[in-house]
Amino acid sequence: MSAAETGAELQEFRRASRALVDGVADHLVALPSRPVWQPLPDALRERLLGLPLPEGGAALDDLVATALRDVLPHAMGNGHPAFFGWVNSPPSLAGIAASLASAAMNPSVVAGDHADVHLERAVVRWLAELVGFPHAPGGGLLTSGASAATIVCLAGARGRALARVGHDVRRDGLAGAPRLVVYVPAEAHSCVRRALELLGLGSGAMREVPLDAGRLDAAALRDAIAADRANGAVPALLVGSAGTVNTGAIDPLDALADVAAAEDLWFHVDGAYGAFGVLDPAIAPRFRGMERADSLALDPHKWLGVPVDAGCALVRQGDDLRDAFSLIPPYLRQDTDASVGTFAEYGPEQTRPFRALKTWATIAARGRAGLSAQVTRANQRARELAALIEGEPELELAARPETSIVAFRAHPAGCSPARLDDVNRVLPEAVQARGRAFLTGTVFGGRETLRACILHPDTGTEHLATLVAEVVATAHELTRG
Ligand SMILES: Cc1ncc(COP(=O)(O)O)c(C=O)c1O
């Protein structure tokens, strides 16, 4: 900070930031009584898109006023308890406050004796402890999200599989390497495929894991693995989901882990959304096997409510990541505990933001018991919503919820079967536009499907009732129209 910024400017910072904190708190108080989401007024959208680059500087007070007036009220909607879209939670208050402090420190969290480095190591360990994953120092790092965590984990898997057949992928790339094969359930999140594409393995390397109604046909999977081996390919990786994005279903992780162990495959679990579901004692046994994974992708910025961005890659053996990523040119040398090294040796980021403070604050503010209660309540609400849907003649469940995602469809009276898919496809955006509830759609089992994901700690029975009423009313409108 320059000397000029220390006197009057810091006073302005104090004043403007207090106004900002008050404005943010007012915004949060007003949120539940406002529409969940509304399109931006045309004039404001145009103004934001066309903002000219300012020649001179503006006062911080004015910037705060502009942000409070033009930006905060026009949010995505995930702060509202009737927001059920995608997998987006409201930010925790502790996380919001911590974001200011972490920006004030502004470190690059790589290595060294500063608090952010030690805090990230502790927070990664906390996350592992929360979901019951084994952890040793170096066994993970925070990332921008689960997509990035998946790339990190699968890079470890790729490196290990190729090293075993004597191929150095870091030196030689994939040229001359045998074809790696990966076994991925049909309901796996698209980030798995994207990671495989980015890592040069190609989506053509994917084989579908034979799952039927949540049960693994282990014999069929092992036959497929044997056939791939017989064809000269190298089976390398098996993926499972601890909570699918479409329906929140938990794959049979223990059975998958058995096959991975027997076949010597890297077992990766996508726990981005659902792994924290293990905190609900009623369903914790369903996650058995997650602790046997070689890698686990988590998203504290989903169910825990850490402000975006906060993902996490956990690995059983940190050296797998270090082997894949460590590259230390002289200008980046830092004295570190050589046994663990720097965070930059475990992933693709060099300058790394301070994601740990908001994650620490969010977890610490509620504790394991508070988070467990929050997760358990969300799952209960999902079961409540499923019951409301079953009691509504014009709706049907697409899958019984295992966690806090409810997949369902509308079949309004008077709508011909041929039009049902069309109605369900356009329904989410039509509901969103009405402003009382927000849900999104997907395709599940080959059919257009609605999905409601419950992550907001304040989502109550009244919000579930609003959602159901809005979907039914909107479906009628669309059928008539
Ligand atoms: C099951 C699952 N995996 C992975 C992801 C990707 O996570 P991110 O958006 O944090 O990259 C998501 C996102 O919704 C998800 O639901």
Side-chain angles (χ1 to χ4, degrees), residues 87 145-147 189 191 243 245 270 272-273 299 301-302:
V87 192
S147 299
H189 190 271
C191 71
V245 65
D270 178 355
Y273 151 67
D299 254 344
H301 69 204
K302 290 188 162 68

Coordinates of all heavy atoms in Angstrom, one line a residue, residues 87 145-147 189 191 243 245 270 272-273 299 301-302, ligand 1:
V87 N -26.9 -26.5 -8.3 CA -26.4 -27.0 -7.0 C -25.7 -25.7 -6.4 O -24.5 -25.7 -6.3 CB -25.4 -28.1 -7.1 CG1 -25.1 -28.7 -5.8 CG2 -25.9 -29.2 -8.1
G145 N -13.1 -25.3 -7.6 CA -14.3 -26.0 -7.6 C -14.1 -27.5 -7.9 O -12.9 -27.9 -8.0
A146 N -15.1 -28.3 -8.0 CA -14.9 -29.7 -8.2 C -14.5 -30.0 -9.6 O -13.8 -31.0 -9.8 CB -16.2 -30.5 -7.9
S147 N -14.8 -29.2 -10.6 CA -14.3 -29.4 -11.9 C -12.8 -29.4 -11.9 O -12.1 -30.3 -12.5 CB -14.8 -28.4 -12.9 OG -16.2 -28.5 -13.0
H189 N -21.1 -36.6 -13.4 CA -21.1 -35.2 -13.8 C -20.2 -35.0 -15.1 O -19.2 -35.7 -15.2 CB -20.7 -34.3 -12.7 CG -20.9 -32.9 -12.9 ND1 -19.9 -32.1 -13.5 CD2 -21.9 -32.1 -12.6 CE1 -20.4 -30.8 -13.6 NE2 -21.6 -30.8 -13.0
C191 N -18.1 -33.0 -15.6 CA -16.7 -32.6 -15.3 C -15.7 -33.7 -15.5 O -14.6 -33.5 -15.7 CB -16.6 -31.9 -14.0 SG -16.7 -33.0 -12.6
G243 N -23.4 -38.8 -4.8 CA -24.5 -37.8 -5.0 C -24.4 -37.3 -6.4 O -23.7 -36.4 -6.8
V245 N -25.6 -35.4 -9.9 CA -26.2 -34.0 -10.0 C -27.7 -34.1 -10.4 O -28.4 -33.2 -10.0 CB -25.3 -33.2 -11.1 CG1 -25.4 -33.9 -12.5 CG2 -25.8 -31.8 -11.1
D270 N -16.7 -38.7 -7.1 CA -17.1 -37.3 -7.2 C -18.1 -37.1 -6.1 O -19.2 -37.5 -6.1 CB -17.8 -37.2 -8.6 CG -18.4 -35.7 -8.7 OD1 -18.3 -35.0 -7.7 OD2 -18.9 -35.4 -9.8
A272 N -18.6 -33.9 -5.1 CA -18.8 -32.4 -5.1 C -20.0 -32.0 -4.4 O -20.0 -31.2 -3.5 CB -18.8 -32.0 -6.6
Y273 N -21.2 -32.5 -4.8 CA -22.4 -32.1 -4.2 C -22.6 -33.0 -2.9 O -22.9 -32.5 -1.8 CB -23.6 -32.3 -5.2 CG -24.9 -32.6 -4.4 CD1 -25.5 -31.7 -3.6 CD2 -25.5 -33.9 -4.5 CE1 -26.7 -32.0 -2.9 CE2 -26.6 -34.2 -3.9 CZ -27.2 -33.2 -3.0 OH -28.4 -33.5 -2.3
D299 N -16.9 -30.2 -2.9 CA -17.2 -28.8 -3.1 C -17.7 -28.1 -1.8 O -18.9 -28.1 -1.6 CB -18.2 -28.6 -4.2 CG -17.6 -28.1 -5.5 OD1 -16.4 -27.6 -5.5 OD2 -18.2 -28.2 -6.6
H301 N -18.1 -25.2 -1.5 CA -19.0 -24.1 -2.0 C -20.4 -24.6 -2.4 O -21.2 -23.8 -2.8 CB -18.3 -23.2 -3.0 CG -18.1 -23.8 -4.4 ND1 -17.2 -23.3 -5.2 CD2 -18.7 -24.8 -5.1 CE1 -17.2 -24.0 -6.4 NE2 -18.2 -24.9 -6.3
K302 N -20.7 -25.9 -2.2 CA -22.0 -26.3 -2.4 C -22.8 -26.5 -1.1 O -23.2 -25.5 -0.5 CB -22.0 -27.6 -3.2 CG -21.6 -27.4 -4.7 CD -21.8 -28.6 -5.5 CE -21.7 -28.3 -7.0 NZ -20.4 -27.9 -7.5
Ligands
LIG1 C1 -22.0 -34.0 -8.8 C2 -21.2 -32.8 -9.3 N1 -19.9 -33.0 -9.6 C3 -19.1 -32.0 -10.1 C4 -19.7 -30.7 -10.2 C5 -18.8 -29.6 -10.7 O1 -18.5 -28.7 -9.7 P1 -18.0 -27.2 -9.9 O2 -19.1 -26.5 -10.6 O3 -17.7 -26.7 -8.5 O4 -16.8 -27.3 -10.8 C6 -21.0 -30.5 -9.8 C7 -21.6 -29.1 -10.0 O5 -22.7 -28.9 -9.8 C8 -21.8 -31.5 -9.4 O6 -23.0 -31.4 -9.0

